[in-house]
């Protein structure tokens, strides 16, 4: 009967029609006010639609009525609500209350455990595991208990007495399971080993992994356990045993980590030999013999020969230069021997880059071995021309040329080349091959790689030549040429991740957000997983408030992180039920990173503003700001330090190692400073300040203003120009509110400051006559206009707050904002008209036909050979700018005082 009544609610939820589901709940509750199941589902719907205060109040009324929790519908609806609200303690309360009615329910006990496990409530997880293990005789619950003890012990501080008790109990349970034959899977063994590792019992771990017992076959067939055994032997100083284990392992499988452990053990044994030169030579000879033996096996040659390179460099760094030269070979000879053999493989450059870098920079800390650098340059030059000439012979030959071009780029970076011309020397040859050769027409992957190299060379040269802010027009012009190259390459190979990545970065730098978003969407990225592009689009491109006037993107950004976060709890539950326990820690760490994500934090401000003005400027604005979740974004020094940056900067190196930051794509194309504590704190304080003004919390307003003032006055502040203006503008808004709330002070001066701040951000009537109009448009105008729009919407919230609090200054503020809106609508319409009519012709005049000797060959090549791609890039810029301005204009038109 109850299920039949609730059917319309469930049907609406399945259609994702929350409004209809809520209406169905209201209909049921109108007939039966104490229909607990309907109240529980209403709680869930309120939580899911962001009505947090109402959801919490209704949920608490159900928790205060224990008999309500007897119904499974109430249990389901209320637990889902608390999961959406991220209140795991309340979710556990729901299950525990339900257990008072059905204590024999294994399902409810498991739900208690999972709620605690996915939320990092290790104490509650342990108590639930004890109950499961006590009441239900299932082997998996033994391991659930062991894991709960392990996690509780590790996260409570391993050295604390209570943690030691928990870890030793976990050890005894694992030992008992091993003795009784209950340890039967590799995952169970990994958990037991992790317990021993946490307790520092390495010898005992070695005994388990090395002893010929019932676990021997399991260990031998698990590559990770074999590697762990070698690592433990090395850690405990059993170098000879580590070497023997590594040799045995590599005789049966190919694993680079085993190579590294083998080399490290050999170096340690050489160190241990002290003055015994014969022993040192014997150790070096033994590993060389094995590496060369493995190198003769076709499927293992690459790893073994790369290991020879690594071994030689390790010996050099260890002070055994002569031994390396005599027994292994010098690093420089081995490096180029490897290049000669494997240059036809796409992976060759990624393999050898780190070793060239280590060799050239190995003379002393931070210094360069100029002789090594010269040798590599000579070796490269001896091969480069022949490789270019042979590039028409097939994909292997073209890939060899690409790898040598990547090495050329690396050597220039290591040399610290500062001449912009040197970076684009011979670039026409690269463009010819990447975009106009037979190989390009056949869509060979090597052509996409060459286009990436050419693009990075243009970017690097442009930053060196025009990095000064006064030259932003020429920098934009150069980057537009890079965009043209990338568009042409994408026409040949639209599936290339790197081409899309470079294109996204260049377009964002040019304030062409729509085109960047289109490229991002093509990649169809579903999850974050430390994803650089996720940071770029959701974090930098959108939440900085400089590029994204489109509020829908803000919702997409928050949803992107929330959806990824919502998937992890399901994965954690799957880990426990499927017994893949070694993944638990990884998922918990990733979940913590998302919860503390810098990128999600900086989308929060935009999402709150978007929600407030989603339905226009009315009383609903105040309700949204009043209910805004500002508690979750309050920060202390400790929480700021705990925030996690979801970028993988190492990925952005691409052509150079991560320790050469000035050649890192992330930094070369970053339009704003790197995020820092000031940046995050400012972003979190802005919505808080709006909430406090709407709620008339004067003490909180004063405190927040002081924090913002400190950030604004910080000489080492990491805020961009636009962000600094935003901070000062929100402070002006707060000061207007403070003065308006006082009968003794006038708002005129502060209001004038606010209006002037917003007006100065928007283009003047002389905008189209500026000499460097495109440089200004792409680097400042649209970003400034976005900040002005944001400040205007905050100022409107101020006006509504003053009206609601019946303060006389509301009319004064409203009149000033009406006049501001009238004049600025004219300004934004003027900007839209200019972009629509003039931007395309200005691209031809300022970016394509300008007198720029540095890039004249590139421009000539693109106009004569790739005109269609130039037109695509130009149209993309104009369309993106126009879309942004139209979005801004829509917000000004929608928001009326």
């Amino acid at each position: 009967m109850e299920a039949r009544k609730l059917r319309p609610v469930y049907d609406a939820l399945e259609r994702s029609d929350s409004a209809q589901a809520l209406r169905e709940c209201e209909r049921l509750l109108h007939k039966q006010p104490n229909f607990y199941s309907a109240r529980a589902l209403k709680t869930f719907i309120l939580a899911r639609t962001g009505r947090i205060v109402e959801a919490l109040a209704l949920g608490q009324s159900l928790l205060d009525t224990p008999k309500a929790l007897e119904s499974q519908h109430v249990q389901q609806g209320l637990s889902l609500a608390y999961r959406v609200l991220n209140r795991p303690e309340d979710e556990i309360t729901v299950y525990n209350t339900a257990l008072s009615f059905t204590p024999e329910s294994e399902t409810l006990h498991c739900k208690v455990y999972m709620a605690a496990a996915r939320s990092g409530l290790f104490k509650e997880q342990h108590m639930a595991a004890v109950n499961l293990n006590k009441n239900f005789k299932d082997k998996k619950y033994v391991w659930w208990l062991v894991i709960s003890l392990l996690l509780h012990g590790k996260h409570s501080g391993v050295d604390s007495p209570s943690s030691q008790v928990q870890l030793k109990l976990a050890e005894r349970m694992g030992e008992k399971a091993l003795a009784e034959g209950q340890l039967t899977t590799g995952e169970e063994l990994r958990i037991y080993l992790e317990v021993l590792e946490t307790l520092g019992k390495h010898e005992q771990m070695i005994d388990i992994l090395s002893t010929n017992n019932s676990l021997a076959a399991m260990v031998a067939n698990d590559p990770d356990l074999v590697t762990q055994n070698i690592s433990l032997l090395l850690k405990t100083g059993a170098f000879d045993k580590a070497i023997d284990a590594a040799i045995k392992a590599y005789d049966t499988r190919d694993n680079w980590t085993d190579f590294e452990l083998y080399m490290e053990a050999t170096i340690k044994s050489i160190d241990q030999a002290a003055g015994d030169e014969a022993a040192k030579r014997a150790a070096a000879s033994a590993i060389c013999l094995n590496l060369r033996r493995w190198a003769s096996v076709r499927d293992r040659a690459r790893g073994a020969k790369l290991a020879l390179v690594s071994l030689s460099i390790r010996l050099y760094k260890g002070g055994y230069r002569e031994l390396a030269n005599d027994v292994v070979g010098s690093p420089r000879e081995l490096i180029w021997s490897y290049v000669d053999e494997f240059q036809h493989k796409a992976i060759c450059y990624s393999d050898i880059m780190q070793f060239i870098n280590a060799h050239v920079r190995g003379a002393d800390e931070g210094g360069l071995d100029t002789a090594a650098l010269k040798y590599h340059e000579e070796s490269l030059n001896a091969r480069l021309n022949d490789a270019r000439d042979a590039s028409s012979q097939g994909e292997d030959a073209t890939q060899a040329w690409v790898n040598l071009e990547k090495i050329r780029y690396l050597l220039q970076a290591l040399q610290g080349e500062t001449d912009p011309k040197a970076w684009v020397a011979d670039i026409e040859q690269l463009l010819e091959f990447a975009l106009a050769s037979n190989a390009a027409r056949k869509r060979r992957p090597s052509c996409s790689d060459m286009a990436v190299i050419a693009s990075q060379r243009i970017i690097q040269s442009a930053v060196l030549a025009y990095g000064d802010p006064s030259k932003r027009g020429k920098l934009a012009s150069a980057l537009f040429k890079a965009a043209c190259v990338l568009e042409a390459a994408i026409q040949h190979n639209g599936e290339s991740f790197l081409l899309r990545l470079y294109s996204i970065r260049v377009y964002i730098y040019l304030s062409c957000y729509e085109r960047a978003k289109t490229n991002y969407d093509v990649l169809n990225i579903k999850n974050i997983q430390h994803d650089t592009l996720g940071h770029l689009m959701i974090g930098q491109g959108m939440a900085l408030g400089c590029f994204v006037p489109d509020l829908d993107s803000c919702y997409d950004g928050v949803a992107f992180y929330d959806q990824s976060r919502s998937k992890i709890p399901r994965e954690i539950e799957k880990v426990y039920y499927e017994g893949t326990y070694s993944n638990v820690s990884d998922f918990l760490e990733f979940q913590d990173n998302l919860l503390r994500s810098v990128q999600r934090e900086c989308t929060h401000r935009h999402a709150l503003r978007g929600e407030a003005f989603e339905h226009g400027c009315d009383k609903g604005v105040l309700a949204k700001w009043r209910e805004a979740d500002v508690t979750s974004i309050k920060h202390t020094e400790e929480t700021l330090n705990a925030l996690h940056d979801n970028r993988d900067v190492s990925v952005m190196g691409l052509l150079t190692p991560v320790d050469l930051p000035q050649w890192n794509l992330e930094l070369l194309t970053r339009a704003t400073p790197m995020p820092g504590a000031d940046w995050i704190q400012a972003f979190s304080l802005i919505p808080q300040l709006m909430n406090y003004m709407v709620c008339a919390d004067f003490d909180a307003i004063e405190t927040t203003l002081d924090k913002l003032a400190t950030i604004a006055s910080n000489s080492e502040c990491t805020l961009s120009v636009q962000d600094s203006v935003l901070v000062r503008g929100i402070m002006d808004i707060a000061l207007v509110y403070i003065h308006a709330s006082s009968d003794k002070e006038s708002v005129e001066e502060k209001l004038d400051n606010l209006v002037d701040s917003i007006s100065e951000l928007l283009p003047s009537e002389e905008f189209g006559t500026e000499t460097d109009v495109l440089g200004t448009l792409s680097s400042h105008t649209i970003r400034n206009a976005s900040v002005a729009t944001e400040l205007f919407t905050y100022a409107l919230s101020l006006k509504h707050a003053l009206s609601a609090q019946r303060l006389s200054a509301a009319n004064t503020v409203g009149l000033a904002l009406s006049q501001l809106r009238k004049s600025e609508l004219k300004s934004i319409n003027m900007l839209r008209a200019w972009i629509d009519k003039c931007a395309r012709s200005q691209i031809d005049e300022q970016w394509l036909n300008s007198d720029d000797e540095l890039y004249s060959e590139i421009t000539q090549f693109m106009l004569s050979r790739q005109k269609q791609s130039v037109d695509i890039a130009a149209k993309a810029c104009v369309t993106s700018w126009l879309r942004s301005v139209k979005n801004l204009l829509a917000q000004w038109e929608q928001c009326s005082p």
Side-chain angles (χ1 to χ4, degrees):
M1 182 69 175
E2 188 175 41
R4 185 162 57 83
K5 288 182 179 180
L6 294 170
R7 187 73 263 162
V9 182
Y10 286 121
D11 289 343
L13 288 172
E14 287 176 5
R15 298 193 306 270
S16 297
D17 189 348
S18 297
Q20 180 60 34
L22 187 59
R23 284 193 292 270
E24 292 293 344
C25 286
E26 296 287 6
R27 181 180 61 80
L28 291 170
L29 290 170
H30 180 72
K31 294 180 180 179
Q32 188 180 346
N34 288 329
F35 190 0
Y36 296 128
S37 297
R39 289 168 67 180
L41 287 173
K42 181 180 178 181
T43 304
F44 168 60
I45 297 165
L46 292 172
R48 197 162 76 167
T49 54
R51 295 166 65 176
I52 297 170
V53 175
E54 295 173 75
L56 290 173
L58 189 55
Q60 188 60 49
S61 71
L62 287 168
L63 289 181
D64 293 339
T65 313
K67 67 176 182 178
L69 275 299
E70 192 171 2
S71 166
Q72 290 186 354
H73 294 289
V74 176
Q75 295 168 21
Q76 181 183 34
L78 203 52
S79 62
L80 286 173
Y82 285 128
R83 197 175 299 187
V84 171
L85 294 167
N86 193 30
R87 295 175 71 92
E89 295 91 345
D90 289 331
E91 184 185 352
I92 291 171
T93 300
V94 171
Y95 298 136
N96 282 330
T97 305
L99 277 169
S100 66
F101 298 104
T102 53
E104 72 285 353
S105 172
E106 185 176 1
T107 300
L108 283 174
H109 280 288
C110 286
K111 286 183 176 180
V112 174
Y113 183 89
M114 291 304 171
R118 64 175 176 260
S119 306
L121 300 174
F122 303 118
K123 182 179 179 180
E124 290 80 359
Q125 181 183 0
H126 173 231
M127 293 172 62
V130 169
N131 289 330
L132 281 165
N133 193 44
K134 178 181 177 182
N135 296 316
F136 308 100
K137 302 303 179 184
D138 189 322
K139 190 189 80 167
K140 70 173 178 284
Y141 297 141
V142 173
W143 292 103
W144 287 18
L145 179 53
V146 171
I147 294 171
S148 69
L149 289 165
L150 172 62
L151 293 174
H152 195 190
K154 289 176 69 174
H155 289 270
S156 299
V158 174
D159 296 329
S160 70
S162 61
S163 294
Q164 286 293 307
V165 170
Q166 291 156 353
L167 291 168
K168 287 176 181 177
L169 178 56
E171 178 192 4
R172 288 198 297 272
M173 292 184 70
E175 188 176 356
K176 181 181 178 184
L178 177 60
E180 295 177 353
Q182 296 296 310
L183 198 159
T184 57
T185 70
E187 291 294 327
E188 293 167 355
L189 177 56
R190 283 189 179 86
I191 290 299
Y192 182 33
L193 291 171
E194 188 175 349
V195 172
L196 296 175
E197 173 79 29
T198 306
L199 289 168
K201 297 190 175 183
H202 299 136
E203 296 290 349
Q204 191 172 337
M205 294 173 70
I206 292 171
D207 289 342
I208 292 170
L209 290 168
S210 304
T211 304
N212 188 19
N213 55 22
S214 59
L215 299 178
M218 184 194 303
V219 173
N221 293 323
D222 191 319
D224 291 336
L225 292 175
V226 171
T227 299
Q228 187 176 13
N229 183 40
I230 301 169
S231 178
L232 286 166
L233 290 167
L234 182 59
K235 189 180 292 185
T236 55
F239 305 133
D240 291 342
K241 290 183 178 179
I243 289 170
D244 292 341
I247 294 171
K248 182 180 178 181
Y250 205 80
D251 277 336
T252 58
R253 65 198 178 101
D254 189 348
N255 187 331
W256 178 253
T257 303
D258 293 346
F259 270 139
E260 291 184 314
L261 293 172
Y262 185 12
M263 287 184 282
E264 187 176 348
T266 300
I267 299 295
K268 294 287 187 183
S269 66
I270 290 173
D271 291 340
Q272 205 173 48
D276 191 342
E277 296 301 324
K280 293 179 182 178
R281 184 170 290 271
S285 298
I287 189 172
C288 282
L289 183 64
N290 281 316
L291 291 176
R292 290 186 175 116
R293 173 168 62 87
W294 290 324
S296 65
V297 180
R298 181 178 178 183
D299 293 339
R300 302 195 179 185
R302 186 176 130 251
K305 291 190 175 180
L306 198 63
L308 282 168
V309 177
S310 179
L311 176 62
S312 181
I313 289 175
R314 285 169 183 257
L315 287 169
Y316 263 56
K317 287 190 173 182
Y320 305 111
R321 182 182 293 258
E322 184 178 344
L323 182 63
N325 290 336
D326 291 348
V327 179
V328 187
S330 69
R332 60 188 191 178
E333 292 169 351
L334 289 169
I335 284 170
W336 284 99
S337 173
Y338 181 87
V339 171
D340 288 339
E341 185 168 353
F342 297 104
Q343 61 186 345
H344 63 284
K345 292 183 176 292
I347 196 69
C348 174
Y349 178 73
S350 298
D351 283 345
I352 209 66
M353 173 179 68
Q354 59 178 313
F355 298 112
I356 294 177
N357 180 49
H359 185 223
V360 171
R361 302 171 75 186
D364 53 2
E365 197 68 31
L368 282 181
D369 186 336
T370 54
L373 181 60
K374 183 179 179 181
Y375 177 87
H376 289 303
E377 289 174 340
E378 291 173 349
S379 299
L380 172 71
N381 293 332
R383 294 164 171 81
L384 192 56
N385 288 332
D386 290 342
R388 286 172 179 164
D389 295 340
S391 62
S392 61
Q393 297 177 10
E395 178 62 14
D396 284 355
T398 58
Q399 189 61 63
W401 180 26
V402 167
N403 280 317
L404 291 175
E405 285 292 348
K406 289 180 178 180
I407 292 173
R408 180 163 78 103
Y409 188 100
L410 172 63
L411 294 177
Q412 282 183 269
L414 288 169
Q415 189 180 19
E417 179 63 72
T418 57
D419 181 4
K421 291 183 179 179
W423 285 102
V424 290
D426 304 324
I427 197 170
E428 191 173 0
Q429 292 179 319
L430 307 189
L431 295 174
E432 176 73 32
F433 172 74
L435 305 178
S437 64
N438 288 329
R441 285 186 281 274
K442 293 177 182 178
R443 303 190 175 191
R444 290 179 178 168
S446 54
C447 294
S448 296
D449 283 352
M450 195 68 89
V452 166
I453 297 170
S455 302
Q456 177 104 355
R457 284 190 168 279
I458 295 171
I459 294 168
Q460 184 69 61
S461 171
V463 171
L464 287 169
Y466 307 127
D468 188 279
S470 64
K471 299 177 181 178
R472 61 176 182 265
K474 289 190 174 182
L475 177 60
S477 173
L479 292 179
F480 174 75
K481 294 173 178 64
C484 294
V485 171
L486 292 164
E487 289 289 0
I490 288 171
Q491 297 303 307
H492 292 299
N493 183 7
E495 297 180 358
S496 171
F497 175 88
L498 287 181
L499 290 175
R500 298 281 182 185
L501 169 63
Y502 273 70
S503 179
I504 288 168
R505 295 208 67 93
V506 170
Y507 277 123
I508 281 186
Y509 200 99
L510 296 173
S511 296
C512 299
Y513 182 79
E514 186 181 41
R515 188 61 173 180
K517 186 73 163 61
T518 299
N519 279 320
Y520 176 74
D521 290 341
V522 169
L523 296 174
N524 196 28
I525 292 173
K526 300 293 186 183
N527 298 297
I528 298 175
Q529 296 178 349
H530 305 286
D531 169 50
T532 301
L533 283 185
H535 158 73
L536 184 66
M537 300 306 299
I538 310 306
Q540 177 178 323
M542 185 176 61
L544 287 179
C546 300
F547 311 104
V548 193
D550 189 348
L551 293 176
D552 287 341
S553 297
C554 303
Y555 305 143
D556 291 345
V558 175
F560 186 86
Y561 283 87
D562 286 349
Q563 287 167 7
S564 298
R565 192 179 70 184
S566 68
K567 292 176 184 177
I568 296 175
R570 295 196 292 272
E571 294 297 326
I572 291 175
E573 291 188 12
K574 190 188 298 185
V575 161
Y576 282 102
Y577 283 115
E578 294 181 353
T580 53
Y581 304 127
S582 60
N583 294 323
V584 169
S585 294
D586 289 340
F587 277 120
L588 286 174
E589 181 184 0
F590 184 41
Q591 180 173 254
D592 286 344
N593 289 342
L594 289 181
L595 288 170
R596 297 178 285 106
S597 167
V598 168
Q599 286 71 43
R600 190 195 182 283
E601 289 257 337
C602 61
T603 63
H604 198 96
R605 176 182 104 233
H606 283 283
L608 288 176
R609 183 174 73 99
E611 288 177 7
F613 289 94
E614 189 170 19
H615 304 295
C617 298
D618 53 26
K619 294 181 180 179
V621 173
L622 298 182
K624 285 293 184 181
W625 280 122
R626 193 176 292 112
E627 296 173 4
D629 178 19
V630 297
T631 303
S632 65
I633 55 175
K634 288 183 178 179
H635 282 302
T636 63
E637 185 175 348
E638 183 180 358
T639 59
L640 282 170
N641 291 333
L643 285 173
H644 181 78
D645 192 342
N646 278 309
R647 292 170 309 127
D648 184 355
V649 179
S650 63
V651 173
M652 304 303 289
L654 300 177
L655 296 178
T656 57
V658 70
D659 58 353
L660 289 176
Q662 62 270 45
W663 286 273
N664 185 294
L665 186 68
E666 160 79 7
L667 301 181
L668 285 175
T669 57
R670 191 171 185 88
T672 59
M674 292 286 282
D678 290 336
W679 185 73
I680 299 299
Q681 186 75 297
F683 275 20
S684 65
L685 290 172
I686 290 171
Q688 290 176 47
L689 195 55
M690 295 307 303
N691 172 267
Y692 299 148
M693 283 188 285
V694 169
C695 297
D697 188 341
F698 290 95
D699 290 340
I701 292 171
E702 293 284 358
T703 302
T704 308
L705 263 179
D706 289 342
K707 292 179 180 178
L708 283 170
T710 301
I711 293 172
S713 61
N714 184 358
S715 60
E716 299 179 357
C717 185
T718 58
L719 298 180
S720 68
V721 173
Q722 285 80 18
D723 291 335
S724 296
V725 172
L726 180 65
V727 168
R728 290 193 295 272
I730 197 72
M731 290 172 64
D732 286 338
I733 289 172
L735 290 171
V736 170
Y737 177 81
I738 291 172
H739 283 242
S741 302
S742 171
D743 295 333
K744 299 178 181 179
E745 298 183 77
S746 171
V747 299
E748 300 294 338
E749 181 182 351
K750 300 301 179 183
L751 185 58
D752 288 344
N753 289 341
L754 173 61
V755 170
D756 289 344
S757 297
I758 296 174
S759 297
E760 289 170 3
L761 288 166
L762 292 165
S764 65
E765 293 181 1
E766 291 76 30
F767 169 77
T769 63
E770 293 182 22
T771 306
D772 186 17
V773 64
L774 285 184
T776 302
L777 177 68
S778 60
S779 63
H780 283 78
T781 305
I782 292 177
R783 300 175 201 172
N784 287 350
S786 181
V787 173
T789 305
E790 183 170 355
L791 284 174
F792 181 71
T793 56
Y794 292 148
L796 284 173
S797 296
L798 162 70
K799 184 265 178 184
H800 291 311
L802 294 174
S803 296
Q805 295 164 28
R806 300 185 179 181
L807 296 171
S808 59
N811 291 333
T812 304
V813 173
L815 179 61
L817 293 180
S818 294
Q819 293 172 345
L820 173 67
R821 176 174 175 270
K822 183 177 180 180
S823 63
E824 301 314 329
L825 275 171
K826 181 180 178 182
S827 176
I828 297 175
N829 271 308
M830 176 272 295
L831 179 61
R832 181 183 66 172
W834 186 92
I835 294 173
D836 196 23
K837 294 179 182 179
C838 306
R840 182 63 182 86
S841 61
Q842 287 298 311
I843 288 176
D844 288 338
E845 182 179 331
Q846 294 189 17
W847 285 0
L848 293 173
N849 299 323
S850 60
D851 183 19
D852 190 341
E853 294 182 5
L854 193 56
Y855 304 110
S856 59
E857 290 184 1
I858 299 170
T859 303
Q860 184 178 355
F861 175 88
M862 294 304 297
L863 288 173
S864 61
R865 308 289 295 277
Q866 299 292 324
K867 183 65 167 62
Q868 182 182 2
S869 299
V870 173
D871 290 338
I872 290 173
K875 183 178 179 181
C877 288
V878 175
T879 303
S880 295
W881 294 331
L882 199 58
R883 165 70 186 276
S884 293
V885 174
K886 284 181 178 179
N887 285 333
L888 289 172
L889 186 60
Q891 292 179 59
W892 282 85
E893 289 175 340
Q894 177 181 331
C895 299
S896 172

